[in-house]
Amino acid sequence: MTKRMTHQEICEKWEAVSRAQNVNHQQGIEAAVKQCRQFLAAIHQQADVEQARYRYLAQRLCDHFWSHNIAHRTDKTPGYPGHFGCRVRLRKRKLELSWYYNRFVPKSGEGRSVFSEYIRKEGRFRYHKPAFTRAQDWEQPLIVETEAGFEMLRRLNANQAELCRIVRKSERLLKDLEEHLAGLKEAASGSSSRSSEER
């Protein structure tokens, strides 16, 4: 059974072969480019997984908010009912952590109809405080703590999106580098025998 190399051993191996004379460097270039491509593809895949984890963590914040909302659905709570709600969605690699305002309209029979009004996020990573001025006293602290968590996740998600943009740029550069290396001409036979110390 072959023991897997540690990342440090892999780094040392690439360092050693980079100056070696008895190596087929054409195969080395192909292997290096292939592994570079695999690395970039792995980042893309892991970014999708990471975003799914962000969605999970955002849902925990959302559920925490709703657990308090449900707990306050009683006549003993001043200012019932709560009018604010939050929602988490992940669609086409876009993570949405949004708030809305509910209006309750009595039905002609029994009960009430609920009409939700989406609240626009004015800031880049968080909603501005005036968006929640209509919140009940018991809602305010919950909204503040939930939105603080949402902001952190929005920032993490933005960093991850930036990483994906960099990966796409690196994929294009790697393709250009591969074409550039393929276009290099071999040196004349006399100059190729220089020792590595002369370089």
Side-chain angles (χ1 to χ4, degrees), residues 4-199:
R4 284 187 69 179
M5 293 173 70
T6 66
H7 85 278
Q8 186 59 42
E9 289 169 336
I10 294 169
C11 293
E12 289 167 2
K13 188 78 169 171
W14 278 109
E15 178 69 24
V17 300
S18 70
R19 304 285 292 186
Q21 297 298 310
N22 59 343
V23 172
N24 182 333
H25 284 294
Q26 186 54 43
Q27 288 180 348
I29 289 170
E30 290 169 9
V33 169
K34 180 182 176 184
Q35 290 174 29
C36 287
R37 199 173 283 120
Q38 289 170 342
F39 166 73
L40 295 171
I43 292 176
H44 267 308
Q45 291 171 351
Q46 285 303 309
D48 288 342
V49 174
E50 185 73 351
Q51 197 171 49
R53 284 192 285 256
Y54 293 160
R55 193 242 178 270
Y56 169 82
L57 294 170
Q59 190 61 53
R60 301 289 64 77
L61 290 164
C62 202
D63 289 349
H64 175 75
F65 175 84
W66 282 110
S67 70
H68 283 271
N69 182 283
I70 291 166
H72 284 87
R73 290 179 189 178
T74 166
D75 295 338
K76 294 185 174 119
T77 296
Y80 172 79
H83 289 274
F84 285 87
C86 55
R87 179 174 59 198
V88 177
R89 289 195 297 190
L90 178 56
R91 298 185 302 178
K92 297 181 183 177
R93 291 186 172 168
K94 186 174 180 186
L95 183 63
E96 299 173 5
L97 315 176
S98 53
W99 290 92
Y100 52 91
Y101 183 81
N102 290 319
R103 287 184 299 111
F104 303 98
V105 178
K107 290 182 181 177
S108 55
E110 209 176 285
R112 292 178 291 190
S113 295
V114 181
F115 295 93
S116 296
E117 171 194 334
Y118 172 76
I119 302 170
R120 283 190 60 207
K121 182 168 60 68
E122 300 293 337
R124 181 169 177 207
F125 296 115
R126 69 176 300 129
Y127 284 77
H128 293 311
K129 287 181 181 174
F132 305 109
T133 52
R134 296 180 286 180
Q136 306 289 359
D137 289 345
W138 62 268
E139 281 182 299
Q140 281 285 358
L142 287 168
I143 290 169
V144 168
E145 69 181 9
T146 303
E147 181 57 13
F150 280 176
E151 180 186 6
M152 288 182 250
L153 283 163
R154 289 186 194 108
R155 287 179 181 277
L156 283 166
N157 190 61
N159 290 345
Q160 185 258 129
E162 179 62 23
L163 178 62
C164 287
R165 280 191 288 278
I166 291 168
V167 167
R168 284 191 293 276
K169 288 180 188 175
S170 293
E171 286 170 336
R172 289 191 294 272
L173 276 171
L174 184 61
K175 184 176 181 296
D176 292 345
L177 175 61
E178 186 177 21
E179 290 170 2
H180 180 77
L181 288 167
L184 295 179
K185 303 286 185 241
E186 286 294 320
S189 59
S191 61
S192 61
S193 60
R194 289 183 303 163
S195 70
S196 59
E197 289 80 15
E198 294 174 330
R199 293 182 189 170

